[in-house]
Amino acid sequence: MLNQIKGLHHVTSMASDAAENNQFFTHKLGLRRVKKTVNFDAPDVYHLYYADELGTPGSVMTYFPFHNIGKGRPGVGEVGTTVFSVPEGTLPFWEKRFAEQGVAGLSRDEQFGEKRLSFAGPDGDGFALVEAKGDTRAPWIKGGVGNDEAIRGFHSATLRLRDGGATEELLKFMGYEAVDTSGNIKRLAVKDGNGADFIDIETLPGASFAGLGAGSVHHIAFAVENREKQLEVRKALMETGYQVTPVIDRDYFWAIYFRTPGGVLFEIATNEPGFDRDEDTAHLGEALKLPSQHAHLRDYLENNLQPLSD
């Protein structure tokens, strides 16, 4: 069993409109846009990052907004729900806030003894807030939500699978342990994590497979401290039979990817070098930052990418 993985690093999804996506995360959720850059493989498409003040691993939601992309089809073989942590007693605040702002899909329930508010993103993305006990992570408090209510980072993510057995074994190999079961959902947790410590596996044997599109999660990333730890994980996964990509420089972290038995794309991402490598912490996410191979496109991109509000 591995011990290098310390919880979630980021979750990356697809969107249909960059400005709407930016407004939702910065104004409705009160997160900070910590990076405005472009897709490495499609530089005419933004890659937008939303997080806490510093872009701390375990708090980072990222998006590829492909203009007018078709809507995703929910199903198995994907991340179904991305869950954020909020302080105890704050769900009434959030429910009122979301209702006033026209956020769709609001519903309240309780899972694993935790109060939960589900809601939908602009493209029908599956989200929830959970009142988490003892989450001491510092929030971003300049996004219109006060310190007592603000999002602390990720709490968990739910994988929807036809058969969760093989993915559960993979997660256990990655350092997770089964800690609880509720109906057809099994919860796994990593010890000594970064606060974004839970993965839930929802088993839906008869469901159809998901179709990638707007509102879909493209991949889910797990955090390791540095490149040395990442290489240890890569070696162990390959020795177990997984097809893992070479290490890829993503400017703000180093990444490796592999497909899980249930069809979900996993990434292992380093905490280094971080989002302040190319702009001061006070001004994260303000200027358009380009990967070096796309620097020559700056004039074109600045004139043609959709304007975003602050």
Side-chain angles (χ1 to χ4, degrees):
M1 186 176 77
L2 303 176
N3 60 10
Q4 296 91 341
I5 291 168
K6 301 301 180 184
L8 295 179
H9 187 286
H10 65 269
V11 176
T12 294
S13 294
M14 316 286 282
S16 60
D17 185 271
E20 182 183 37
N21 182 263
N22 178 78
Q23 198 275 343
F24 183 85
F25 283 93
T26 59
H27 293 271
K28 290 183 169 69
L29 291 189
L31 297 177
R32 185 182 194 188
R33 190 180 70 220
V34 295
K35 197 62 58 179
K36 180 170 67 170
T37 182
V38 297
N39 188 309
F40 274 79
D41 301 314
D44 58 337
V45 174
Y46 277 120
H47 192 176
L48 303 175
Y49 293 77
Y50 312 102
D52 63 8
E53 181 176 5
L54 304 176
T56 307
S59 74
V60 186
M61 189 79 209
T62 100
Y63 271 88
F64 299 133
F66 286 85
H67 187 58
N68 290 330
I69 186 176
K71 195 166 186 176
R73 184 182 68 250
V76 293
E78 68 172 353
V79 176
T81 308
T82 303
V83 185
F84 296 97
S85 169
V86 295
E88 288 186 273
T90 62
L91 288 190
F93 164 86
W94 283 102
E95 188 169 26
K96 181 176 184 290
R97 178 182 176 86
F98 285 165
E100 290 173 348
Q101 295 180 337
V103 175
L106 298 181
S107 67
R108 291 276 292 271
D109 68 347
E110 189 168 312
Q111 287 188 14
F112 300 106
E114 297 169 324
K115 294 178 180 178
R116 173 182 171 110
L117 173 65
S118 297
F119 62 100
D123 292 295
D125 326 45
F127 290 116
L129 301 178
V130 162
E131 291 186 356
K133 298 178 181 178
D135 190 341
T136 60
R137 291 178 289 175
W140 172 243
I141 57 172
K142 296 181 182 178
V145 181
N147 180 74
D148 291 342
E149 298 87 14
I151 289 170
R152 267 48 186 173
F154 292 129
H155 171 275
S156 58
T158 302
L159 311 182
R160 286 196 297 241
L161 307 173
R162 275 190 175 176
D163 182 348
T167 300
E168 180 182 346
E169 290 306 309
L170 166 62
L171 287 164
K172 288 178 177 177
F173 180 71
M174 290 167 58
Y176 283 77
E177 297 180 358
V179 293
D180 206 349
T181 301
S182 176
N184 64 333
I185 302 174
K186 180 171 283 190
R187 170 158 289 181
L188 295 95
V190 66
K191 285 185 176 180
D192 303 319
N194 58 15
D197 299 338
F198 299 106
I199 296 290
D200 293 339
I201 296 177
E202 181 179 12
T203 303
L204 300 166
S208 60
F209 284 97
L212 186 66
S216 301
V217 172
H218 183 271
H219 63 268
I220 181 171
F222 297 82
V224 292
E225 182 181 353
N226 53 40
R227 294 183 66 191
E228 178 183 359
K229 301 294 185 184
Q230 183 184 63
L231 290 173
E232 293 171 0
V233 172
R234 183 176 187 271
K235 181 175 183 290
L237 288 168
M238 293 183 70
E239 289 176 346
T240 310
Y242 286 94
Q243 302 294 315
V244 187
T245 67
V247 177
I248 302 171
D249 182 0
R250 295 302 193 196
D251 283 353
Y252 311 107
F253 47 87
W254 299 81
I256 57 174
Y257 304 86
F258 64 103
R259 188 72 62 175
T260 67
V264 181
L265 183 61
F266 277 12
E267 175 184 345
I268 311 296
T270 61
N271 292 348
E272 58 179 9
F275 293 98
D276 60 354
R277 68 170 295 271
D278 60 0
E279 55 187 341
D280 185 84
T281 299
H283 299 286
L284 290 179
E286 295 178 7
L288 177 65
K289 297 297 180 181
L290 298 178
S292 58
Q293 64 267 41
H294 300 317
H296 65 288
L297 299 173
R298 177 169 293 279
D299 288 346
Y300 170 80
L301 293 173
E302 288 184 341
N303 288 320
N304 286 277
L305 287 170
Q306 187 180 13
L308 303 178
S309 61
D310 292 334

mmCIF file of all heavy atoms in Angstrom, residues 159-207:
data_model
loop_
_atom_site.group_PDB
_atom_site.id
_atom_site.type_symbol
_atom_site.label_atom_id
_atom_site.label_comp_id
_atom_site.label_asym_id
_atom_site.label_seq_id
_atom_site.Cartn_x
_atom_site.Cartn_y
_atom_site.Cartn_z
ATOM 1 N N LEU A 159 -17.480 8.752 -7.096
ATOM 2 C CA LEU A 159 -17.313 8.045 -8.354
ATOM 3 C C LEU A 159 -18.551 7.197 -8.595
ATOM 4 O O LEU A 159 -18.965 6.421 -7.725
ATOM 5 C CB LEU A 159 -16.078 7.139 -8.311
ATOM 6 C CG LEU A 159 -14.774 7.748 -7.803
ATOM 7 C CD1 LEU A 159 -13.653 6.714 -7.869
ATOM 8 C CD2 LEU A 159 -14.399 8.997 -8.589
ATOM 9 N N ARG A 160 -19.159 7.331 -9.777
ATOM 10 C CA ARG A 160 -20.303 6.487 -10.150
ATOM 11 C C ARG A 160 -19.802 5.361 -11.043
ATOM 12 O O ARG A 160 -19.270 5.612 -12.128
ATOM 13 C CB ARG A 160 -21.362 7.304 -10.893
ATOM 14 C CG ARG A 160 -22.161 8.232 -10.012
ATOM 15 C CD ARG A 160 -23.427 8.708 -10.714
ATOM 16 N NE ARG A 160 -23.105 9.475 -11.903
ATOM 17 C CZ ARG A 160 -23.458 10.747 -12.086
ATOM 18 N NH1 ARG A 160 -24.121 11.398 -11.145
ATOM 19 N NH2 ARG A 160 -23.149 11.376 -13.193
ATOM 20 N N LEU A 161 -19.988 4.114 -10.591
ATOM 21 C CA LEU A 161 -19.428 2.960 -11.285
ATOM 22 C C LEU A 161 -20.450 1.833 -11.366
ATOM 23 O O LEU A 161 -21.288 1.673 -10.477
ATOM 24 C CB LEU A 161 -18.183 2.453 -10.553
ATOM 25 C CG LEU A 161 -17.086 3.485 -10.269
ATOM 26 C CD1 LEU A 161 -16.000 2.868 -9.393
ATOM 27 C CD2 LEU A 161 -16.484 4.011 -11.569
ATOM 28 N N ARG A 162 -20.364 1.041 -12.431
ATOM 29 C CA ARG A 162 -21.213 -0.151 -12.510
ATOM 30 C C ARG A 162 -20.795 -1.177 -11.465
ATOM 31 O O ARG A 162 -21.628 -1.822 -10.845
ATOM 32 C CB ARG A 162 -21.134 -0.767 -13.903
ATOM 33 C CG ARG A 162 -22.074 -0.158 -14.903
ATOM 34 C CD ARG A 162 -22.125 -0.965 -16.177
ATOM 35 N NE ARG A 162 -23.129 -0.433 -17.094
ATOM 36 C CZ ARG A 162 -23.335 -0.899 -18.321
ATOM 37 N NH1 ARG A 162 -22.595 -1.911 -18.765
ATOM 38 N NH2 ARG A 162 -24.261 -0.370 -19.083
ATOM 39 N N ASP A 163 -19.503 -1.351 -11.321
ATOM 40 C CA ASP A 163 -18.943 -2.284 -10.338
ATOM 41 C C ASP A 163 -17.768 -1.590 -9.678
ATOM 42 O O ASP A 163 -16.774 -1.293 -10.341
ATOM 43 C CB ASP A 163 -18.508 -3.580 -11.023
ATOM 44 C CG ASP A 163 -17.968 -4.616 -10.054
ATOM 45 O OD1 ASP A 163 -17.707 -4.269 -8.877
ATOM 46 O OD2 ASP A 163 -17.808 -5.783 -10.460
ATOM 47 N N GLY A 164 -17.876 -1.322 -8.381
ATOM 48 C CA GLY A 164 -16.840 -0.558 -7.703
ATOM 49 C C GLY A 164 -15.691 -1.380 -7.164
ATOM 50 O O GLY A 164 -14.730 -0.809 -6.640
ATOM 51 N N GLY A 165 -15.740 -2.712 -7.308
ATOM 52 C CA GLY A 165 -14.755 -3.560 -6.645
ATOM 53 C C GLY A 165 -13.321 -3.291 -7.036
ATOM 54 O O GLY A 165 -12.446 -3.118 -6.180
ATOM 55 N N ALA A 166 -13.045 -3.238 -8.342
ATOM 56 C CA ALA A 166 -11.670 -3.065 -8.798
ATOM 57 C C ALA A 166 -11.150 -1.669 -8.475
ATOM 58 O O ALA A 166 -9.973 -1.503 -8.113
ATOM 59 C CB ALA A 166 -11.573 -3.326 -10.303
ATOM 60 N N THR A 167 -12.003 -0.652 -8.567
ATOM 61 C CA THR A 167 -11.581 0.704 -8.234
ATOM 62 C C THR A 167 -11.347 0.842 -6.741
ATOM 63 O O THR A 167 -10.426 1.546 -6.303
ATOM 64 C CB THR A 167 -12.620 1.725 -8.726
ATOM 65 O OG1 THR A 167 -12.751 1.613 -10.152
ATOM 66 C CG2 THR A 167 -12.211 3.137 -8.364
ATOM 67 N N GLU A 168 -12.155 0.165 -5.942
ATOM 68 C CA GLU A 168 -11.927 0.165 -4.499
ATOM 69 C C GLU A 168 -10.560 -0.436 -4.173
ATOM 70 O O GLU A 168 -9.813 0.106 -3.336
ATOM 71 C CB GLU A 168 -13.023 -0.622 -3.777
ATOM 72 C CG GLU A 168 -12.838 -0.657 -2.275
ATOM 73 C CD GLU A 168 -13.897 -1.474 -1.554
ATOM 74 O OE1 GLU A 168 -14.934 -1.796 -2.170
ATOM 75 O OE2 GLU A 168 -13.684 -1.803 -0.364
ATOM 76 N N GLU A 169 -10.216 -1.524 -4.832
ATOM 77 C CA GLU A 169 -8.904 -2.142 -4.592
ATOM 78 C C GLU A 169 -7.778 -1.208 -5.016
ATOM 79 O O GLU A 169 -6.741 -1.120 -4.352
ATOM 80 C CB GLU A 169 -8.799 -3.482 -5.336
ATOM 81 C CG GLU A 169 -9.684 -4.572 -4.761
ATOM 82 C CD GLU A 169 -9.451 -4.781 -3.269
ATOM 83 O OE1 GLU A 169 -8.278 -4.944 -2.874
ATOM 84 O OE2 GLU A 169 -10.439 -4.758 -2.498
ATOM 85 N N LEU A 170 -7.964 -0.502 -6.131
ATOM 86 C CA LEU A 170 -6.971 0.476 -6.567
ATOM 87 C C LEU A 170 -6.797 1.570 -5.519
ATOM 88 O O LEU A 170 -5.662 1.923 -5.162
ATOM 89 C CB LEU A 170 -7.403 1.095 -7.899
ATOM 90 C CG LEU A 170 -6.659 2.362 -8.343
ATOM 91 C CD1 LEU A 170 -5.174 2.077 -8.552
ATOM 92 C CD2 LEU A 170 -7.289 2.943 -9.597
ATOM 93 N N LEU A 171 -7.895 2.119 -5.020
ATOM 94 C CA LEU A 171 -7.807 3.180 -4.022
ATOM 95 C C LEU A 171 -7.129 2.682 -2.738
ATOM 96 O O LEU A 171 -6.343 3.410 -2.120
ATOM 97 C CB LEU A 171 -9.192 3.737 -3.719
ATOM 98 C CG LEU A 171 -9.784 4.618 -4.828
ATOM 99 C CD1 LEU A 171 -11.276 4.809 -4.629
ATOM 100 C CD2 LEU A 171 -9.078 5.974 -4.882
ATOM 101 N N LYS A 172 -7.409 1.461 -2.361
ATOM 102 C CA LYS A 172 -6.739 0.898 -1.189
ATOM 103 C C LYS A 172 -5.236 0.774 -1.439
ATOM 104 O O LYS A 172 -4.426 1.040 -0.539
ATOM 105 C CB LYS A 172 -7.350 -0.453 -0.831
ATOM 106 C CG LYS A 172 -8.739 -0.350 -0.219
ATOM 107 C CD LYS A 172 -9.339 -1.720 0.070
ATOM 108 C CE LYS A 172 -10.684 -1.603 0.755
ATOM 109 N NZ LYS A 172 -11.315 -2.943 0.981
ATOM 110 N N PHE A 173 -4.861 0.397 -2.657
ATOM 111 C CA PHE A 173 -3.440 0.348 -3.017
ATOM 112 C C PHE A 173 -2.827 1.750 -2.950
ATOM 113 O O PHE A 173 -1.651 1.912 -2.596
ATOM 114 C CB PHE A 173 -3.288 -0.236 -4.421
ATOM 115 C CG PHE A 173 -1.867 -0.324 -4.900
ATOM 116 C CD1 PHE A 173 -0.981 -1.239 -4.352
ATOM 117 C CD2 PHE A 173 -1.406 0.522 -5.897
ATOM 118 C CE1 PHE A 173 0.331 -1.320 -4.784
ATOM 119 C CE2 PHE A 173 -0.099 0.452 -6.340
ATOM 120 C CZ PHE A 173 0.770 -0.474 -5.780
ATOM 121 N N MET A 174 -3.630 2.767 -3.264
ATOM 122 C CA MET A 174 -3.158 4.156 -3.250
ATOM 123 C C MET A 174 -3.134 4.751 -1.838
ATOM 124 O O MET A 174 -2.772 5.912 -1.673
ATOM 125 C CB MET A 174 -4.042 5.016 -4.160
ATOM 126 C CG MET A 174 -3.883 4.720 -5.642
ATOM 127 S SD MET A 174 -5.187 5.476 -6.691
ATOM 128 C CE MET A 174 -5.003 7.225 -6.306
ATOM 129 N N GLY A 175 -3.520 3.979 -0.829
ATOM 130 C CA GLY A 175 -3.430 4.447 0.542
ATOM 131 C C GLY A 175 -4.751 4.744 1.215
ATOM 132 O O GLY A 175 -4.777 5.192 2.364
ATOM 133 N N TYR A 176 -5.868 4.509 0.519
ATOM 134 C CA TYR A 176 -7.185 4.751 1.100
ATOM 135 C C TYR A 176 -7.665 3.520 1.866
ATOM 136 O O TYR A 176 -7.275 2.391 1.565
ATOM 137 C CB TYR A 176 -8.191 5.107 0.000
ATOM 138 C CG TYR A 176 -8.052 6.519 -0.507
ATOM 139 C CD1 TYR A 176 -7.019 6.862 -1.387
ATOM 140 C CD2 TYR A 176 -8.928 7.524 -0.112
ATOM 141 C CE1 TYR A 176 -6.875 8.165 -1.848
ATOM 142 C CE2 TYR A 176 -8.792 8.825 -0.571
ATOM 143 C CZ TYR A 176 -7.767 9.139 -1.433
ATOM 144 O OH TYR A 176 -7.629 10.423 -1.875
ATOM 145 N N GLU A 177 -8.540 3.767 2.834
ATOM 146 C CA GLU A 177 -9.148 2.691 3.613
ATOM 147 C C GLU A 177 -10.659 2.854 3.607
ATOM 148 O O GLU A 177 -11.168 3.973 3.690
ATOM 149 C CB GLU A 177 -8.649 2.723 5.066
ATOM 150 C CG GLU A 177 -7.159 2.484 5.221
ATOM 151 C CD GLU A 177 -6.723 2.533 6.683
ATOM 152 O OE1 GLU A 177 -7.590 2.798 7.547
ATOM 153 O OE2 GLU A 177 -5.538 2.303 6.943
ATOM 154 N N ALA A 178 -11.377 1.740 3.521
ATOM 155 C CA ALA A 178 -12.838 1.787 3.629
ATOM 156 C C ALA A 178 -13.215 2.145 5.059
ATOM 157 O O ALA A 178 -12.725 1.531 6.014
ATOM 158 C CB ALA A 178 -13.433 0.445 3.237
ATOM 159 N N VAL A 179 -14.078 3.167 5.204
ATOM 160 C CA VAL A 179 -14.430 3.635 6.549
ATOM 161 C C VAL A 179 -15.920 3.571 6.845
ATOM 162 O O VAL A 179 -16.316 3.593 8.014
ATOM 163 C CB VAL A 179 -13.925 5.077 6.785
ATOM 164 C CG1 VAL A 179 -12.401 5.112 6.803
ATOM 165 C CG2 VAL A 179 -14.479 6.045 5.745
ATOM 166 N N ASP A 180 -16.788 3.479 5.797
ATOM 167 C CA ASP A 180 -18.218 3.447 6.069
ATOM 168 C C ASP A 180 -18.962 3.049 4.800
ATOM 169 O O ASP A 180 -18.426 3.144 3.684
ATOM 170 C CB ASP A 180 -18.704 4.828 6.554
ATOM 171 C CG ASP A 180 -19.946 4.747 7.424
ATOM 172 O OD1 ASP A 180 -20.553 3.667 7.493
ATOM 173 O OD2 ASP A 180 -20.298 5.775 8.040
ATOM 174 N N THR A 181 -20.209 2.616 4.993
ATOM 175 C CA THR A 181 -21.088 2.274 3.879
ATOM 176 C C THR A 181 -22.472 2.832 4.160
ATOM 177 O O THR A 181 -22.954 2.765 5.291
ATOM 178 C CB THR A 181 -21.170 0.750 3.676
ATOM 179 O OG1 THR A 181 -19.864 0.226 3.420
ATOM 180 C CG2 THR A 181 -22.067 0.402 2.489
ATOM 181 N N SER A 182 -23.106 3.384 3.118
ATOM 182 C CA SER A 182 -24.465 3.889 3.222
ATOM 183 C C SER A 182 -25.213 3.482 1.955
ATOM 184 O O SER A 182 -24.996 4.064 0.886
ATOM 185 C CB SER A 182 -24.474 5.410 3.393
ATOM 186 O OG SER A 182 -25.794 5.912 3.408
ATOM 187 N N GLY A 183 -26.074 2.464 2.070
ATOM 188 C CA GLY A 183 -26.775 1.971 0.893
ATOM 189 C C GLY A 183 -25.791 1.445 -0.135
ATOM 190 O O GLY A 183 -24.966 0.574 0.157
ATOM 191 N N ASN A 184 -25.861 1.997 -1.354
ATOM 192 C CA ASN A 184 -24.965 1.552 -2.429
ATOM 193 C C ASN A 184 -23.711 2.421 -2.543
ATOM 194 O O ASN A 184 -23.027 2.399 -3.570
ATOM 195 C CB ASN A 184 -25.704 1.558 -3.770
ATOM 196 C CG ASN A 184 -26.128 2.954 -4.203
ATOM 197 O OD1 ASN A 184 -26.335 3.828 -3.368
ATOM 198 N ND2 ASN A 184 -26.257 3.162 -5.499
ATOM 199 N N ILE A 185 -23.411 3.195 -1.485
ATOM 200 C CA ILE A 185 -22.245 4.075 -1.497
ATOM 201 C C ILE A 185 -21.260 3.617 -0.434
ATOM 202 O O ILE A 185 -21.626 3.441 0.737
ATOM 203 C CB ILE A 185 -22.647 5.545 -1.240
ATOM 204 C CG1 ILE A 185 -23.653 6.008 -2.297
ATOM 205 C CG2 ILE A 185 -21.415 6.443 -1.256
ATOM 206 C CD1 ILE A 185 -24.207 7.401 -2.045
ATOM 207 N N LYS A 186 -20.019 3.422 -0.847
ATOM 208 C CA LYS A 186 -18.948 3.056 0.085
ATOM 209 C C LYS A 186 -17.972 4.221 0.181
ATOM 210 O O LYS A 186 -17.554 4.780 -0.834
ATOM 211 C CB LYS A 186 -18.215 1.797 -0.375
ATOM 212 C CG LYS A 186 -17.096 1.370 0.564
ATOM 213 C CD LYS A 186 -16.527 -0.002 0.198
ATOM 214 C CE LYS A 186 -17.454 -1.103 0.649
ATOM 215 N NZ LYS A 186 -16.817 -2.446 0.513
ATOM 216 N N ARG A 187 -17.619 4.593 1.406
ATOM 217 C CA ARG A 187 -16.693 5.711 1.637
ATOM 218 C C ARG A 187 -15.301 5.185 1.968
ATOM 219 O O ARG A 187 -15.143 4.293 2.815
ATOM 220 C CB ARG A 187 -17.197 6.612 2.758
ATOM 221 C CG ARG A 187 -16.180 7.654 3.220
ATOM 222 C CD ARG A 187 -16.827 8.828 3.920
ATOM 223 N NE ARG A 187 -17.565 9.650 2.951
ATOM 224 C CZ ARG A 187 -18.216 10.767 3.269
ATOM 225 N NH1 ARG A 187 -18.264 11.181 4.532
ATOM 226 N NH2 ARG A 187 -18.833 11.469 2.351
ATOM 227 N N LEU A 188 -14.298 5.787 1.301
ATOM 228 C CA LEU A 188 -12.900 5.507 1.584
ATOM 229 C C LEU A 188 -12.217 6.798 1.993
ATOM 230 O O LEU A 188 -12.589 7.884 1.529
ATOM 231 C CB LEU A 188 -12.199 4.892 0.374
ATOM 232 C CG LEU A 188 -12.700 3.509 -0.045
ATOM 233 C CD1 LEU A 188 -13.742 3.626 -1.145
ATOM 234 C CD2 LEU A 188 -11.553 2.611 -0.512
ATOM 235 N N ALA A 189 -11.221 6.689 2.852
ATOM 236 C CA ALA A 189 -10.512 7.871 3.354
ATOM 237 C C ALA A 189 -9.015 7.599 3.367
ATOM 238 O O ALA A 189 -8.574 6.467 3.565
ATOM 239 C CB ALA A 189 -10.986 8.223 4.755
ATOM 240 N N VAL A 190 -8.250 8.664 3.169
ATOM 241 C CA VAL A 190 -6.802 8.572 3.260
ATOM 242 C C VAL A 190 -6.355 9.160 4.594
ATOM 243 O O VAL A 190 -6.900 10.179 5.048
ATOM 244 C CB VAL A 190 -6.117 9.297 2.071
ATOM 245 C CG1 VAL A 190 -6.350 10.802 2.108
ATOM 246 C CG2 VAL A 190 -4.650 8.963 1.996
ATOM 247 N N LYS A 191 -5.411 8.504 5.242
ATOM 248 C CA LYS A 191 -4.904 8.993 6.527
ATOM 249 C C LYS A 191 -3.931 10.149 6.323
ATOM 250 O O LYS A 191 -3.226 10.208 5.323
ATOM 251 C CB LYS A 191 -4.176 7.865 7.261
ATOM 252 C CG LYS A 191 -5.091 6.816 7.874
ATOM 253 C CD LYS A 191 -4.273 5.818 8.686
ATOM 254 C CE LYS A 191 -5.161 4.814 9.400
ATOM 255 N NZ LYS A 191 -4.357 3.835 10.183
ATOM 256 N N ASP A 192 -3.914 11.067 7.288
ATOM 257 C CA ASP A 192 -2.958 12.179 7.280
ATOM 258 C C ASP A 192 -3.023 12.959 5.976
ATOM 259 O O ASP A 192 -1.998 13.331 5.400
ATOM 260 C CB ASP A 192 -1.533 11.660 7.519
ATOM 261 C CG ASP A 192 -1.414 10.890 8.822
ATOM 262 O OD1 ASP A 192 -2.000 11.329 9.822
ATOM 263 O OD2 ASP A 192 -0.746 9.847 8.830
ATOM 264 N N GLY A 193 -4.253 13.216 5.511
ATOM 265 C CA GLY A 193 -4.431 13.917 4.254
ATOM 266 C C GLY A 193 -4.421 15.429 4.410
ATOM 267 O O GLY A 193 -4.103 15.970 5.468
ATOM 268 N N ASN A 194 -4.814 16.095 3.324
ATOM 269 C CA ASN A 194 -4.777 17.558 3.292
ATOM 270 C C ASN A 194 -6.125 18.195 3.597
ATOM 271 O O ASN A 194 -6.300 19.397 3.434
ATOM 272 C CB ASN A 194 -4.266 18.028 1.920
ATOM 273 C CG ASN A 194 -5.116 17.514 0.764
ATOM 274 O OD1 ASN A 194 -6.237 17.040 0.955
ATOM 275 N ND2 ASN A 194 -4.581 17.600 -0.447
ATOM 276 N N GLY A 195 -7.088 17.389 4.036
ATOM 277 C CA GLY A 195 -8.434 17.872 4.300
ATOM 278 C C GLY A 195 -9.439 17.418 3.273
ATOM 279 O O GLY A 195 -10.627 17.269 3.576
ATOM 280 N N ALA A 196 -8.981 17.202 2.045
ATOM 281 C CA ALA A 196 -9.828 16.674 0.967
ATOM 282 C C ALA A 196 -9.603 15.173 0.904
ATOM 283 O O ALA A 196 -9.005 14.646 -0.033
ATOM 284 C CB ALA A 196 -9.463 17.346 -0.355
ATOM 285 N N ASP A 197 -10.106 14.466 1.924
ATOM 286 C CA ASP A 197 -9.609 13.128 2.249
ATOM 287 C C ASP A 197 -10.496 11.970 1.827
ATOM 288 O O ASP A 197 -10.095 10.814 1.967
ATOM 289 C CB ASP A 197 -9.408 13.029 3.766
ATOM 290 C CG ASP A 197 -8.398 14.032 4.301
ATOM 291 O OD1 ASP A 197 -7.565 14.511 3.514
ATOM 292 O OD2 ASP A 197 -8.460 14.341 5.505
ATOM 293 N N PHE A 198 -11.709 12.251 1.315
ATOM 294 C CA PHE A 198 -12.665 11.170 1.093
ATOM 295 C C PHE A 198 -12.946 10.937 -0.391
ATOM 296 O O PHE A 198 -13.028 11.877 -1.178
ATOM 297 C CB PHE A 198 -13.993 11.480 1.793
ATOM 298 C CG PHE A 198 -13.874 11.622 3.283
ATOM 299 C CD1 PHE A 198 -13.953 12.876 3.874
ATOM 300 C CD2 PHE A 198 -13.684 10.523 4.088
ATOM 301 C CE1 PHE A 198 -13.852 13.028 5.247
ATOM 302 C CE2 PHE A 198 -13.574 10.654 5.469
ATOM 303 C CZ PHE A 198 -13.652 11.910 6.051
ATOM 304 N N ILE A 199 -13.115 9.663 -0.727
ATOM 305 C CA ILE A 199 -13.654 9.252 -2.020
ATOM 306 C C ILE A 199 -14.829 8.328 -1.742
ATOM 307 O O ILE A 199 -14.700 7.357 -0.991
ATOM 308 C CB ILE A 199 -12.611 8.516 -2.885
ATOM 309 C CG1 ILE A 199 -11.447 9.436 -3.242
ATOM 310 C CG2 ILE A 199 -13.261 7.949 -4.153
ATOM 311 C CD1 ILE A 199 -11.792 10.544 -4.215
ATOM 312 N N ASP A 200 -15.982 8.637 -2.336
ATOM 313 C CA ASP A 200 -17.150 7.783 -2.222
ATOM 314 C C ASP A 200 -17.351 7.031 -3.531
ATOM 315 O O ASP A 200 -17.252 7.626 -4.618
ATOM 316 C CB ASP A 200 -18.397 8.610 -1.912
ATOM 317 C CG ASP A 200 -18.354 9.252 -0.530
ATOM 318 O OD1 ASP A 200 -17.589 8.758 0.322
ATOM 319 O OD2 ASP A 200 -19.080 10.244 -0.317
ATOM 320 N N ILE A 201 -17.629 5.749 -3.446
ATOM 321 C CA ILE A 201 -17.917 4.934 -4.621
ATOM 322 C C ILE A 201 -19.397 4.573 -4.602
ATOM 323 O O ILE A 201 -19.868 3.870 -3.709
ATOM 324 C CB ILE A 201 -17.057 3.654 -4.641
ATOM 325 C CG1 ILE A 201 -15.572 4.003 -4.754
ATOM 326 C CG2 ILE A 201 -17.476 2.750 -5.806
ATOM 327 C CD1 ILE A 201 -14.653 2.798 -4.713
ATOM 328 N N GLU A 202 -20.137 5.082 -5.590
ATOM 329 C CA GLU A 202 -21.554 4.771 -5.743
ATOM 330 C C GLU A 202 -21.692 3.706 -6.823
ATOM 331 O O GLU A 202 -21.306 3.929 -7.978
ATOM 332 C CB GLU A 202 -22.340 6.019 -6.130
ATOM 333 C CG GLU A 202 -23.828 5.785 -6.275
ATOM 334 C CD GLU A 202 -24.598 7.043 -6.640
ATOM 335 O OE1 GLU A 202 -23.956 8.052 -7.005
ATOM 336 O OE2 GLU A 202 -25.846 7.018 -6.575
ATOM 337 N N THR A 203 -22.237 2.544 -6.461
ATOM 338 C CA THR A 203 -22.354 1.422 -7.395
ATOM 339 C C THR A 203 -23.752 1.402 -8.002
ATOM 340 O O THR A 203 -24.752 1.329 -7.284
ATOM 341 C CB THR A 203 -22.062 0.094 -6.687
ATOM 342 O OG1 THR A 203 -20.753 0.161 -6.103
ATOM 343 C CG2 THR A 203 -22.100 -1.063 -7.662
ATOM 344 N N LEU A 204 -23.804 1.467 -9.343
ATOM 345 C CA LEU A 204 -25.062 1.503 -10.097
ATOM 346 C C LEU A 204 -24.965 0.463 -11.219
ATOM 347 O O LEU A 204 -24.648 0.796 -12.373
ATOM 348 C CB LEU A 204 -25.294 2.899 -10.671
ATOM 349 C CG LEU A 204 -25.402 4.049 -9.652
ATOM 350 C CD1 LEU A 204 -25.277 5.395 -10.335
ATOM 351 C CD2 LEU A 204 -26.727 3.948 -8.901
ATOM 352 N N PRO A 205 -25.237 -0.806 -10.912
ATOM 353 C CA PRO A 205 -24.967 -1.897 -11.860
ATOM 354 C C PRO A 205 -25.668 -1.773 -13.206
ATOM 355 O O PRO A 205 -25.123 -2.148 -14.233
ATOM 356 C CB PRO A 205 -25.447 -3.144 -11.099
ATOM 357 C CG PRO A 205 -25.405 -2.759 -9.661
ATOM 358 C CD PRO A 205 -25.759 -1.305 -9.629
ATOM 359 N N GLY A 206 -26.877 -1.236 -13.240
ATOM 360 C CA GLY A 206 -27.623 -1.202 -14.490
ATOM 361 C C GLY A 206 -27.550 0.099 -15.247
ATOM 362 O O GLY A 206 -28.192 0.253 -16.292
ATOM 363 N N ALA A 207 -26.768 1.041 -14.775
ATOM 364 C CA ALA A 207 -26.747 2.378 -15.390
ATOM 365 C C ALA A 207 -25.952 2.391 -16.683
ATOM 366 O O ALA A 207 -25.023 1.592 -16.886
ATOM 367 C CB ALA A 207 -26.166 3.387 -14.406
#
